[in-house]
């Protein structure tokens, strides 16, 4: 009883610290770090890529033959269509382009995760079909955000943070006309599903079904 009274007295005196603790707790969650990473990707694209040449479309959910596919960012330019997949991870990252799964190692803990290049392959093929483009006109880009370190050599389109901007700017050969860039941007905007809680929930359910089917196989 006395301990309960003491706790209430302490809460009464230091109640103003509670919101601070809650905020600090939220800041450390993977959810917030993911949101922050997405924000950094969006802002860096808007600041360091010429708006007249590069058109950013974010958080795109597109219908596919077997459900939906969700794409973090699409950047359309005369140098091609860049399909950007972000991974919010920490620790050491091991992998190569041909492996089905890559490895994340944090101290003694080891976890396998899907090769993001394979994951983004479905995205690029969906865009390719939707826009009637060839694979030379579409670039797959993987961006790791968070405190991670590559422990194996990665291809040039797998980068940390702002490294994806260097990769995008390295593509200097025009592949699309200005008219095609406008048409592609309009097609993506008109072809995607409306962004909503329902859309995100349906996509998550679809992904879970795919994972369950793979585990059965």
């Amino acid at each position: 009883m006395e301990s309960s009274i003491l706790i209430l007295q302490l809460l009464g005196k230091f109640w103003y610290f509670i919101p601070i603790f809650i905020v600090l707790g939220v800041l450390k969650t993977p959810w917030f770090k993911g949101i922050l990473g997405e924000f950094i990707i969006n802002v860096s694209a808007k600041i360091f890529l010429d708006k007249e040449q590069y058109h950013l479309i974010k958080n795109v959910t597109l219908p596919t033959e077997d459900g939906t596919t969700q794409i973090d960012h699409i950047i359309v330019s005369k140098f091609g269509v860049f399909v950007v997949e972000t991974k919010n991870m920490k620790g050491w990252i091991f992998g190569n382009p041909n492996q089905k799964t890559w490895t994340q190692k944090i101290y003694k803990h080891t976890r396998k995760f899907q090769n993001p290049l394979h994951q983004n392959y479905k995205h690029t093929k969906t865009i390719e079909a939707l826009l009637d483009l060839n694979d030379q006109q579409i670039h797959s880009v993987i961006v790791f955000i968070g405190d991670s370190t590559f422990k194996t050599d990665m291809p040039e389109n797998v980068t940390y943070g702002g490294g994806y901007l260097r990769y995008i700017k390295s593509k200097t050969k025009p592949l699309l006309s200005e008219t095609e860039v406008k048409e592609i941007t309009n097609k993506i905007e008109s072809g995607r599903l409306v962004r909503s809680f329902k859309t995100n929930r349906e996509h998550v359910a679809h992904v879970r079904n795919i994972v369950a089917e793979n585990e059965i196989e």
Side-chain angles (χ1 to χ4, degrees):
M1 186 68 177
E2 291 181 358
S3 61
S4 298
I5 295 174
L6 178 60
I7 291 172
L8 290 174
Q9 290 175 338
L10 290 173
L11 288 175
K13 286 188 177 182
F14 301 104
W15 63 269
Y16 43 84
F17 283 111
I18 295 176
I20 296 175
F21 291 143
I22 293 174
V23 170
L24 291 175
V26 170
L27 292 178
K28 293 181 179 180
T29 62
W31 171 82
F32 179 81
K33 291 178 179 178
I35 294 295
L36 179 60
E38 294 283 329
F39 174 77
I40 292 172
I41 295 296
N42 292 333
V43 171
S44 62
K46 291 179 179 179
I47 293 176
F48 298 108
L49 293 178
D50 185 352
K51 297 181 181 63
E52 298 298 319
Q53 295 195 65
Y54 299 92
H55 307 273
L56 172 66
I57 307 170
K58 54 188 178 180
N59 191 21
V60 180
T61 304
L62 297 171
T64 63
E65 291 181 357
D66 58 348
T68 63
T69 188
Q70 194 164 359
I71 303 174
D72 295 329
H73 307 86
I74 300 174
I75 299 174
V76 184
S77 76
K78 65 181 181 181
F79 308 112
V81 178
F82 298 87
V83 182
V84 183
E85 170 73 17
T86 57
K87 305 299 292 184
N88 178 27
M89 305 185 75
K90 62 181 180 179
W92 290 352
I93 306 298
F94 302 82
N96 69 57
N98 299 320
Q99 290 178 318
K100 184 177 180 180
T101 60
W102 287 7
T103 301
Q104 175 192 35
K105 187 174 181 63
I106 304 175
Y107 299 107
K108 295 182 179 180
H109 177 72
T110 299
R111 182 179 75 89
K112 298 287 186 180
F113 63 98
Q114 184 182 5
N115 181 338
L117 288 169
H118 292 182
Q119 182 180 359
N120 212 30
Y121 179 78
K122 180 177 181 179
H123 298 164
T124 60
K125 287 302 176 183
T126 300
I127 293 296
E128 187 178 319
L130 174 69
L131 303 176
D132 193 25
L133 298 174
N134 61 58
D135 57 3
Q136 299 300 311
Q137 295 170 310
I138 299 180
H139 308 291
S140 174
V141 188
I142 311 300
V143 187
F144 278 78
I145 53 180
D147 187 18
S148 60
T149 302
F150 298 147
K151 301 303 286 187
T152 50
D153 291 335
M154 294 292 177
E156 62 176 351
N157 61 330
V158 179
T159 73
Y160 297 114
Y164 85 103
L165 295 173
R166 289 191 294 274
Y167 174 76
I168 290 175
K169 289 182 177 181
S170 73
K171 302 300 180 181
T172 57
K173 179 182 178 181
L175 301 172
L176 299 165
S177 67
E178 292 297 331
T179 300
E180 287 174 322
V181 169
K182 290 180 181 179
E183 290 177 349
I184 288 170
T185 303
N186 290 335
K187 280 185 179 180
I188 295 173
E189 289 286 1
S190 63
R192 73 182 182 184
L193 300 179
V194 177
R195 282 180 293 178
S196 65
F197 173 76
K198 182 173 181 291
T199 298
N200 291 335
R201 183 179 58 191
E202 289 175 348
H203 175 70
V204 170
H206 172 61
V207 171
R208 285 175 178 168
N209 288 335
I210 292 176
V211 171
E213 290 173 0
N214 290 337
E215 287 179 348
I216 291 174
E217 293 174 358

